[in-house]
């Protein structure tokens, strides 16, 4: 509130909300709280092969969301493109998958170079490590390092694959958001607000 946030978009599943409700969900004043279940709880899909390295499995999930969750991603972008919606905040449960994909879309719309988008995504592991280190070490051994965590959680290769997918299949991020239905005025307003 002190930061002047106008909008909070919660990208979690309803079950995640039930487990850890947002303090803003019942707010009647700024910031406006919006819940968008990007993954659509209750739907099923074929999971990537378990023998794939984690960075490739994660990339396959992101590509699936890009292709199959377009309405929810459009809804998210549209919330932030509304007049007066920014500054805003968005969150998921872990802080690097759903938020990582939305971040990539927003950064791409702001014409941030792909290399910077990749580096920004990879940086997530550095900030998640203190929170998730103990759980990760319980699963992967007490000597597991930040480097191993980075490869498993937010590897550069993951976002590189995702950006390549958007370029190959849709012509890049700008063409992708146009294809899913974000209008020219909305794109211009969002880009202007992000760069303001």
């Amino acid at each position: 509130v002190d930061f002047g946030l106008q909008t909070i978009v919660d990208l979690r599943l309803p079950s995640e909300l039930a487990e850890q409700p947002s303090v803003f969900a019942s707010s009647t004043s700024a910031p406006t709280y919006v819940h968008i279940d990007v993954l659509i709880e209750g739907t099923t899909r074929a999971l990537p092969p378990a023998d794939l390295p984690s960075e490739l499995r994660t990339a396959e999930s992101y590509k699936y969301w890009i292709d199959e969750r377009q309405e929810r991603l459009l809804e998210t972008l549209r919330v932030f493109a509304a007049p007066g919606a920014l500054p805003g905040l968005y969150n998921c449960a872990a802080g690097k998958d759903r938020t990582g994909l939305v971040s990539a879309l927003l950064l791409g719309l702001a014409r941030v170079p792909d290399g910077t988008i990749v580096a920004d995504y990879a940086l997530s592991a550095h900030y998640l490590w203190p929170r998730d280190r103990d759980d990760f070490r319980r699963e992967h051994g007490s000597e597991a390092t930040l480097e191993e965590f980075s490869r498993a959680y937010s590897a550069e290769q993951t976002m590189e694959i995702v950006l390549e997918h958007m370029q190959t299949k849709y012509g890049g991020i700008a063409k992708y958001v146009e294809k899913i239905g974000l209008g020219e005025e909305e794109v211009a307003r969002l880009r202007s607000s992000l760069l303001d």
Side-chain angles (χ1 to χ4, degrees), residues 5-66:
L5 291 174
Q6 297 302 304
T7 309
I8 292 177
V9 176
D10 194 329
L11 304 170
R12 294 178 296 159
L13 302 169
S15 59
E16 292 170 327
L17 294 182
E19 190 175 313
Q20 291 186 310
S22 171
V23 296
F24 295 103
S26 59
S27 175
T28 56
S29 59
T32 300
Y33 174 85
V34 180
H35 172 237
I36 301 173
D37 174 9
V38 169
L39 303 187
I40 310 178
E41 190 160 43
T43 57
T44 58
R45 68 179 179 95
L47 295 175
D51 59 347
L52 279 178
S54 60
E55 59 269 28
L56 300 184
R57 279 198 318 273
T58 302
E60 288 304 309
S61 291
Y62 294 3
K63 287 162 58 177
Y64 176 84
W65 301 343
I66 288 165

Side-chain angles (χ1 to χ4, degrees), residues 73-128:
L73 292 171
L74 171 62
E75 186 180 353
T76 302
L77 296 174
R78 194 159 266 161
V79 167
F80 288 124
L86 296 180
L89 178 145
Y90 48 98
N91 67 278
C92 59
K96 54 96 182 176
D97 293 319
R98 289 162 277 187
T99 54
L101 186 53
V102 169
S103 294
L105 294 173
L106 291 171
L107 291 170
L109 281 176
R111 299 190 176 108
V112 170
D114 283 359
T116 304
I117 295 172
V118 168
D120 181 70
Y121 172 75
L123 191 59
S124 301
H126 173 78
Y127 291 102
L128 292 171

Side-chain angles (χ1 to χ4, degrees), residues 129 133-145 148:
W129 178 242
R133 176 182 51 231
D134 292 343
D135 288 340
F136 188 77
R137 284 181 169 166
R138 268 192 291 278
E139 291 178 30
H140 297 86
S142 61
E143 301 302 314
T145 64
E148 292 169 307

Side-chain angles (χ1 to χ4, degrees), residues 80 86 105-107 109-110 188-196:
F80 288 124
L86 296 180
L105 294 173
L106 291 171
L107 291 170
L109 281 176
R189 185 165 52 240
L190 184 52
R191 182 176 287 138
S192 173
S193 298
L194 289 169
L195 297 174
D196 189 8

Side-chain angles (χ1 to χ4, degrees), residues 147-166:
E147 289 72 26
E148 292 169 307
F149 179 75
S150 297
R151 282 195 302 275
Y153 268 52
S154 60
E156 288 187 358
Q157 186 182 8
T158 298
M159 189 53 68
E160 288 169 349
I161 291 168
V162 168
L163 294 175
E164 182 182 343
H165 175 72
M166 276 200 269

